[in-house]
Amino acid sequence: MMRTTVHDGWHLAAVGGPVPDFLAGRLLPAQVPGSAHLDLMAAGVITDPYLDRTEADLGWAHRVDWRYSTTFQAEAPRPGERVELVFDGIDTVGIVELNGHVLGHTANMHRSYRFDVREVLHEGRNDLTVTLKSALTYAEDMEGRLGRRQRAYPHPYNSIRKMACSFGWDWGPDLQTAGLWKPVRLERWDTVRLVRVRPLVTVLADGTGRIDVNLELDRADDRAYTVVAAVDGREERVTVTGDTATVSVYVPNARLWWPVGYGEQPLYDLTVTVLSGGDPADDPADVVRRRVGFRTVTVDTDPDEIGTPFTFVVNGKQLFAKGANWIPDDHFLTRVTRERIARRVDQAVKANMNMLRVWGGGIYETDDFYDVCDERGVLVWQDFPFACAFYAEEEPLRSEVEAEARENVTRLVAHPSLVLWNGNNENLPAYHDWGWQEDLQGRSWGLGYYTDLVPAILAELDPTRPYAPGSPYSPGDLPPNDPDHGTRHEWDVWNAVDYTHYRDHIPRFCAEFGFQAPPTWATLTRWIHDEPITSTSPGFLHHQKAHDGNGNLHRGLAPHLPVPTDFEDWHWATQLNQARAVALGIEHFRSWWPRTAGALVWQLNDCWPAISWSAVDSEERPKPLYYAIKHAFAPRLLTVQPRAGRPTLIAVNDLDEPWTAEIVATRQTFAGSIRAVGEFPLTVAPRSATRLDLPDDLLKPVDVSSEVLVVSTADARTHHFFAEDRDLAYHPVPLTATVDRVTGGYRIEVHAASYTRDIVVLADKVAPDAIVDDMLVSLAAGETFTFHIHTATTLPHPAALAGAQVLRHANTIAVSTTNTDWRSRR
Ligand code: BMA
């Protein structure tokens, strides 16, 4: 087997549609893998689409037809030799031609394509072109054929098998990419090729790991071939006379693969070799390598006294899924390197997450993504790519869906991190709850994919892991978003009601909930150059894609904090409110474990500089929300929650050891006078939550505006207030700070003379590369805390790190605008 990539010498031309003058007749250098927008940017003929309002000027590109072309040298096929041209991914509507012969047509970004080129490959120079027709025009034509169906956004993304968010989303740009987005290569062979290798990995009751390697061969002749599967020093062989075979390998006493926080992630290399002849000494004809891990996974959905749980069980252990939703990490997918994914997944792990949900408006994630998650122990829930829309179940879509599902299930099946296949994102509530049914007039809407086609494919190709028809989903005839049954998406908060209403429901598993905020200051101001930049300046609004996004930000802020008029204050206040909202949701959900068995924040990441729900922005900088998530997902959590109308302490222990500690609780004034003290022993069993009633004297303040309840153990702490920030008489300048240079950056020691809530260091304002080790730290009067700032920048004025716009806290926002009478109320 000889595999040669065809990645050199590519050019791009605009060959149809509204070609602008500056492109007419031009041939630009092109990257493969890559996409047209990136090539135009590299050639300097368009501005970066993420800058300011550039995206809006690039609409013409959606109607242009592009041609990628290259030449490569090859030898003419020998008699009996097989020669194939393979495209791992074409985005999307393509005509592939070699030396003027049409090899085939493509219309699905989620598949690979393989063409037999024996008849058309030349000795010497070969001309390869891929013409990419406008995906938008194709989708509109297809919609004309299949009938219009509802979707959440204007373009008919539901009529083409292309990443849905390529056509714009409420956090992403409408930049419809076109290109060869995965590797291209020539494969030559003359005996046998491994077409598909599908290892099904299970663990037997006695601890033996079992791998059933399902194989498909393509052969150039009728001979019998030997296939060898090897793992951990063990080898099994099988002689194959047909096109398919299964060979099983057993690993006694297999070391179990565990999710992060539960144990280690041992991975075993599996090598599958087909030999070129019948003799064991023959050379390998083809080799496929996979890395597997031994673990079992189920989702417990056995009805209980409340309804239907949705609890992941890995290696027999029930777990609370702490995580977030994952969108494509860059709208231009080919820029998402393995290193970038690793940094993002590491951020998730550092924020105490153990699960990521790959959302259905994006892609079947890449091998790099899954490799990284396998290594880190991050559980992955993979949606099939259907989102917020009705989908036709007729041809040609149906065959495309079947082909892509088969291919991607086979590609991903070996990864231990993958723990759930999910049919779609929100298409079931779209049918049941969004009032879209009327327009259907009996037409198909995709249900058959989620209840028949996809489950049948999984039953055949991957019976080893659970499947959910959709997210959210409730079984039977129940409304899909029923809190007592299955998964739930919690969007009333953000869209309509205050974030304290997260507590109105006790979902069995909250698969989406979130709140917006702008990106970090450095990211915002790198990409948006409005003079002045404000929350309503044109560039800012262009990057705010959510329906009434700013309206929701203000409605969400007002009950808690005054809405600042100064933009930098507003930026910090909205970031703080995002953090508070999501943290309240997480703590509520965790406090109900095991009734609630998961909280997946919408959304971990961004695909461009956006005002969005993300915790980490498009330049990889964590927003304050990130630190709030890290605290709220801490293995040991203290939280005060209303139970029967009374603030009640809940201690959550997400470790395998019992949590025994001394609790010290004080009701104190912001100025530091202790009004009540309580000390109690705490014992929380492993992986459980315990409730503790607090005595009245801790809960009944003399003055609601200037007292706080602080509850601590050696390794956890929570703060409970008796009023909203806007009604609290904080000291507006409670902190003193000293900044010191240390190895790798700076250290800021802050001292609180009066209670200081949610202290952050917005260090990116001073050094764009700066990363702070913690944020949203609250200090009682008299306390000291040290922030560590990692940066390669040498600051001319280190004191800038303690500047008024950098070292911030809630006190200033709460006090600066309306609460000017703080002194009189203390
Ligand atoms: C959910 C997601 C996305 C969307 C997000 C924010 O519905 O599934 O479709 O981006 O809410 O509105």
Side-chain angles (χ1 to χ4, degrees):
M1 166 66 62
M2 213 173 78
R3 295 188 166 93
T4 327
T5 55
V6 186
H7 290 172
D8 295 332
W10 285 92
H11 285 87
L12 174 71
V15 294
V19 177
D21 288 345
F22 64 85
L23 279 180
R26 286 184 72 178
L27 208 56
L28 304 175
Q31 287 291 319
V32 171
S35 77
H37 283 98
L38 296 179
D39 295 329
L40 299 182
M41 257 194 281
V45 298
I46 61 166
T47 310
D48 191 316
Y50 293 179
L51 263 182
D52 298 309
R53 288 189 289 167
T54 308
E55 175 209 357
D57 303 331
L58 295 172
W60 55 267
H62 301 152
R63 298 292 180 184
V64 165
D65 300 331
W66 304 99
R67 179 161 302 145
Y68 276 85
S69 55
T70 192
T71 60
F72 63 92
Q73 299 291 320
E75 287 170 21
R78 296 187 307 274
E81 188 188 25
R82 298 282 292 265
V83 189
E84 287 152 359
L85 189 61
V86 184
F87 294 81
D88 283 343
I90 297 179
D91 174 17
T92 291
V93 185
I95 304 164
V96 182
E97 290 167 272
L98 183 61
N99 299 325
H101 298 268
V102 174
L103 296 179
H105 291 76
T106 75
N108 189 342
M109 174 186 178
H110 303 299
R111 300 172 59 176
S112 64
Y113 291 91
R114 174 178 290 266
F115 303 107
D116 180 350
V117 296
R118 276 176 294 187
E119 301 297 321
V120 289
L121 189 77
H122 292 166
E123 176 75 28
R125 176 193 157 119
N126 287 272
D127 295 315
L128 175 61
T129 68
V130 181
T131 307
L132 296 168
K133 310 289 276 183
S134 157
L136 179 57
T137 304
Y138 175 94
E140 288 168 352
D141 291 349
M142 190 57 68
E143 179 176 72
R145 274 173 61 184
L146 295 171
R148 190 182 186 286
R149 282 170 177 78
Q150 288 277 17
R151 65 240 171 199
Y153 299 97
H155 296 308
Y157 64 82
N158 49 347
S159 293
I160 183 170
R161 296 311 292 156
K162 173 171 165 60
M163 174 171 96
C165 67
S166 196
F167 295 86
W169 215 260
D170 58 1
W171 35 257
D174 178 10
L175 291 168
Q176 297 149 34
T177 50
L180 306 177
W181 77 288
K182 287 192 173 186
V184 182
R185 67 188 168 274
L186 201 62
E187 294 191 354
R188 315 182 70 128
W189 51 283
D190 47 19
T191 48
V192 62
R193 178 174 78 83
L194 288 165
V195 179
R196 268 175 278 275
V197 173
R198 187 168 48 85
L200 297 182
V201 183
T202 49
V203 186
L204 305 181
D206 69 354
T208 302
R210 170 178 174 167
I211 313 174
D212 296 313
V213 186
N214 298 279
L215 305 163
E216 249 179 85
L217 302 182
D218 194 2
R219 46 174 63 246
D221 55 41
D222 292 337
R223 283 187 292 157
Y225 283 101
T226 301
V227 175
V228 187
V231 64
D232 201 36
R234 276 151 219 287
E235 263 188 26
E236 293 297 336
R237 286 164 184 263
V238 63
T239 303
V240 190
T241 50
D243 294 335
T244 59
T246 302
V247 51
S248 300
V249 201
Y250 294 85
V251 177
N253 304 313
R255 293 177 60 217
L256 290 182
W257 182 98
W258 287 97
V260 58
Y262 288 78
E264 295 185 352
Q265 291 79 42
L267 295 167
Y268 290 78
D269 290 315
L270 166 71
T271 309
V272 181
T273 311
V274 55
L275 304 179
S276 56
D279 192 320
D282 283 331
D283 289 339
D286 197 3
V287 184
V288 167
R289 294 189 175 80
R290 293 276 186 277
R291 233 175 18 169
V292 302
F294 295 101
R295 54 111 190 86
T296 60
V297 60
T298 54
V299 176
D300 178 3
T301 56
D302 287 344
D304 57 20
E305 66 285 356
I306 298 152
T308 316
F310 193 85
T311 307
F312 282 90
V313 184
V314 178
N315 297 332
K317 258 192 130 118
Q318 300 212 325
L319 61 85
F320 187 97
K322 303 191 287 193
N325 284 268
W326 172 274
I327 65 167
D329 205 50
D330 188 330
H331 186 85
F332 295 112
L333 295 170
T334 55
R335 295 198 295 206
V336 185
T337 59
R338 187 185 181 106
E339 292 70 32
R340 185 178 168 101
I341 291 170
R343 290 193 297 273
R344 201 69 53 258
V345 173
D346 283 339
Q347 282 175 319
V349 169
K350 280 197 187 134
N352 294 310
M353 295 186 187
N354 59 25
M355 181 176 283
L356 293 172
R357 169 180 175 229
V358 180
W359 166 77
I363 57 173
Y364 298 92
E365 262 305 336
T366 59
D367 298 334
D368 284 340
F369 175 87
Y370 277 94
D371 283 345
V372 167
C373 291
D374 289 347
E375 289 165 10
R376 307 302 195 272
V378 171
L379 303 172
V380 183
W381 149 340
Q382 172 75 56
D383 284 8
F384 284 86
F386 303 96
C388 303
F390 289 161
Y391 287 81
E393 293 173 47
E394 290 73 41
E395 296 296 353
L397 277 191
R398 188 182 182 80
S399 295
E400 291 297 341
V401 168
E402 170 156 10
E404 69 176 59
R406 287 181 168 280
E407 179 172 337
N408 285 287
V409 169
T410 302
R411 178 172 66 86
L412 298 175
V413 75
H415 290 282
S417 55
L418 176 56
V419 291
L420 182 77
W421 293 110
N422 173 53
N424 70 81
N425 175 71
E426 295 190 343
N427 298 352
L428 305 178
Y431 183 84
H432 289 276
D433 305 332
W434 297 1
W436 286 6
Q437 269 188 55
E438 298 86 76
D439 298 339
L440 267 179
Q441 294 165 338
R443 287 199 296 265
S444 64
W445 57 279
L447 182 65
Y449 293 143
Y450 322 131
T451 57
D452 296 322
L453 182 66
V454 167
I457 290 170
L458 289 170
E460 178 192 333
L461 300 180
D462 183 13
T464 68
R465 32 173 87 69
Y467 172 71
S471 186
Y473 174 75
S474 306
D477 295 330
L478 292 161
N481 212 25
D482 190 316
D484 290 336
H485 300 270
T487 51
R488 180 172 165 88
H489 292 190
E490 192 59 78
W491 284 110
D492 287 345
V493 172
W494 173 248
N495 284 324
V497 298
D498 184 51
Y499 64 71
T500 49
H501 288 275
Y502 278 132
R503 294 178 176 143
D504 292 355
H505 300 287
I506 308 167
R508 308 311 301 270
F509 189 111
C510 195
E512 282 188 11
F513 64 106
F515 211 89
Q516 270 201 351
T520 59
W521 191 258
T523 300
L524 187 73
T525 52
R526 175 174 169 203
W527 294 101
I528 300 169
H529 300 98
D530 296 340
E531 285 287 350
I533 184 169
T534 72
S535 62
T536 54
S537 60
F540 184 94
L541 286 181
H542 189 80
H543 291 250
Q544 165 60 285
K545 300 285 190 186
H547 173 71
D548 197 22
N550 280 5
N552 284 347
L553 286 175
H554 291 158
R555 278 191 294 279
L557 190 56
H560 307 282
L561 289 154
V563 179
T565 45
D566 171 77
F567 180 63
E568 234 172 308
D569 287 346
W570 182 91
H571 176 262
W572 157 231
T574 48
Q575 287 194 330
L576 173 62
N577 206 51
Q578 175 193 39
R580 294 260 190 91
V582 172
L584 185 135
I586 293 175
E587 293 189 16
H588 162 66
F589 298 135
R590 288 191 71 192
S591 78
W592 285 104
W593 165 254
R595 174 168 169 175
T596 302
L600 304 183
V601 175
W602 184 269
Q603 65 206 68
L604 177 69
N605 55 341
D606 267 335
C607 68
W608 84 318
I611 291 79
S612 88
W613 298 260
S614 74
V616 177
D617 72 25
S618 61
E619 306 245 290
E620 313 192 23
R621 295 190 182 96
K623 299 184 191 177
L625 168 63
Y626 174 83
Y627 300 90
I629 292 174
K630 178 176 165 177
H631 298 159
F633 278 148
R636 284 177 173 165
L637 176 76
L638 293 175
T639 179
V640 175
Q641 298 290 328
R643 292 290 190 269
R646 185 180 168 90
T648 303
L649 185 68
I650 313 275
V652 185
N653 178 19
D654 195 19
L655 292 177
D656 283 326
E657 301 77 45
W659 183 13
T660 31
E662 275 303 306
I663 294 181
V664 179
T666 58
R667 178 166 59 78
Q668 53 183 284
T669 67
F670 291 163
S673 308
I674 306 293
R675 294 267 161 88
V677 186
E679 293 186 15
F680 327 89
L682 174 71
T683 312
V684 193
R687 309 284 179 189
S688 65
T690 296
R691 195 166 147 164
L692 281 103
D693 286 322
L694 295 168
D696 278 353
D697 61 345
L698 286 171
L699 298 176
K700 298 264 161 64
V702 178
D703 173 9
V704 293
S705 74
S706 64
E707 292 178 34
V708 56
L709 170 67
V710 181
V711 186
S712 327
T713 60
D715 52 359
R717 173 140 118 149
T718 188
H719 305 245
H720 176 74
F721 298 84
F722 304 99
E724 293 296 338
D725 290 70
R726 55 178 314 139
D727 300 317
L728 292 178
Y730 292 126
H731 194 301
V733 275
L735 288 185
T736 47
T738 50
V739 182
D740 290 305
R741 185 93 168 104
V742 292
T743 316
Y746 295 86
R747 181 176 70 195
I748 308 181
E749 191 178 283
V750 297
H751 176 77
S754 177
Y755 188 86
T756 316
R757 189 168 177 192
D758 290 329
I759 307 166
V760 296
V761 185
L762 304 175
D764 60 281
K765 290 183 173 181
V766 181
D769 72 330
I771 293 292
V772 187
D773 63 340
D774 204 356
M775 286 205 204
L776 299 172
V777 173
S778 297
L779 297 180
E783 288 183 331
T784 296
F785 186 83
T786 303
F787 293 94
H788 298 273
I789 292 134
H790 189 82
T791 173
T793 313
T794 301
L795 298 174
H797 306 292
L801 287 169
Q805 294 292 359
V806 181
L807 178 63
R808 303 217 58 166
H809 41 75
N811 299 34
T812 36
I813 304 173
V815 176
S816 62
T817 22
T818 50
N819 293 359
T820 44
D821 58 341
W822 62 275
R823 276 166 224 278
S824 59
R825 288 209 270 147
R826 276 174 79 223

